[in-house]
Amino acid sequence: DIQMTQSPSSLSASVGDRLTITCQASQDIDNCLNWYQQKPGKAPKLLIYDASNLETGVPSRFSGSGSGTDFTFTISSLQPEDFATYYCQQYDYVPRTFGGGTKVEIK
Amino acid sequence: QVQLQEAGPGLVKPSETLSLTCNVSGDSISSYYWSWIRQPPGKGLEWIGYIHYSGTTNYNPSLKSRATISVDTSKNQASLKVTSVTAADTAVYYCARNGDRFDYWGQGTLVIVSS
């Protein structure tokens, strides 16, 4: 299985901060990576697909980059509604696998 | 608007079979792949498998062949069965559209395995 290693596992940040999360794949997955946001008690929501494409309706403060094994997810200016857990997910191989998640909390 | 709704028993006894359905509205089940994903309480996400209406399936080997996904095109519905459940199968179970990027999700249903 492809292992997806996300870091950090948690972080504290303030409204307006720039936030970066990294995701490393255990082998080359080209650009076959998605990013999701999950709030407590809710299903995950797709934010970024194919490593860098913004899903329709998602604010432009969210962005993604990377290819191969190393990927980055960025929120340019953290908003109150962005406090949540974020997951990366690869789809180059079966089984599809997710990172362990990054919980973003209010400082 | 595409909507997915999971349904099924919230409590299953150990060694029995977990059975869930995913009702799809606003889209045809024949148009996409459909996945099942689960999340144990307080933990991360685990992909269970996917199906295409043509019958193509793919499963996570971690479930050791205990999972079966099917579709009923007449009901526009996907289904999941997991046999021989243990406490480790306690989770919120989600259905989602697609087999690669999961763009629509159901709200999830909690299944507890306990006697």
Side-chain angles (χ1 to χ4, degrees), chain A:
Chain A
D1 296 4
I2 304 295
Q3 305 303 317
M4 305 301 294
T5 304
Q6 251 182 273
S7 62
S9 57
S10 66
L11 64 90
S12 296
S14 300
V15 173
D17 283 354
R18 181 180 181 87
L19 178 157
T20 298
I21 298 169
T22 64
C23 183
Q24 185 170 59
S26 59
Q27 59 190 79
D28 190 330
I29 58 169
D30 197 9
N31 70 330
C32 299
L33 185 101
N34 305 318
W35 290 95
Y36 299 86
Q37 176 193 67
Q38 186 178 33
K39 295 182 179 179
K42 300 293 187 182
K45 175 185 175 184
L46 178 66
L47 300 179
I48 303 285
Y49 65 94
D50 296 349
S52 61
N53 293 307
L54 199 65
E55 177 72 346
T56 302
V58 174
S60 59
R61 64 180 180 273
F62 296 98
S63 64
S65 64
S67 184
T69 60
D70 294 302
F71 301 86
T72 300
F73 172 80
T74 300
I75 306 175
S76 60
S77 178
L78 202 61
Q79 297 302 300
E81 60 268 30
D82 299 338
F83 292 95
T85 300
Y86 294 86
Y87 293 93
C88 61
Q89 173 246 325
Q90 68 80 23
Y91 62 90
D92 198 20
Y93 294 89
V94 173
R96 310 308 191 206
T97 48
F98 293 85
T102 297
K103 186 174 184 178
V104 177
E105 298 177 303
I106 301 173
K107 185 182 286 185

Side-chain angles (χ1 to χ4, degrees), chain B residues 5-46:
Chain B
Q5 176 85 46
E6 302 90 350
L11 181 63
V12 180
K13 290 182 168 54
S15 80
E16 295 191 344
T17 296
L18 175 162
S19 295
L20 298 173
T21 58
C22 173
N23 290 291
V24 177
S25 59
D27 203 351
S28 170
I29 200 127
S30 301
S31 299
Y32 293 91
Y33 284 76
W34 302 89
S35 292
W36 286 92
I37 296 157
R38 69 181 182 178
Q39 185 171 36
K43 296 189 177 180
L45 299 159
E46 180 182 35

Side-chain angles (χ1 to χ4, degrees), chain B residues 14-93:
Chain B
S15 80
E16 295 191 344
T17 296
L18 175 162
S19 295
L20 298 173
T21 58
C22 173
N23 290 291
V24 177
S25 59
D27 203 351
S28 170
I29 200 127
S30 301
S31 299
Y32 293 91
Y33 284 76
W34 302 89
S35 292
W36 286 92
I37 296 157
R38 69 181 182 178
Q39 185 171 36
K43 296 189 177 180
L45 299 159
E46 180 182 35
W47 176 78
I48 298 169
Y50 66 56
I51 189 166
H52 187 256
Y53 82 99
S54 62
T56 299
T57 55
N58 218 318
Y59 297 101
N60 194 328
S62 69
L63 277 86
K64 298 182 174 58
S65 303
R66 296 187 298 122
T68 303
I69 301 173
S70 59
V71 292
D72 185 333
T73 54
S74 67
K75 295 181 179 178
N76 218 42
Q77 183 179 84
S79 297
L80 170 70
K81 292 187 187 300
V82 180
T83 60
S84 305
V85 297
T86 70
D89 294 306
T90 293
V92 175
Y93 285 76

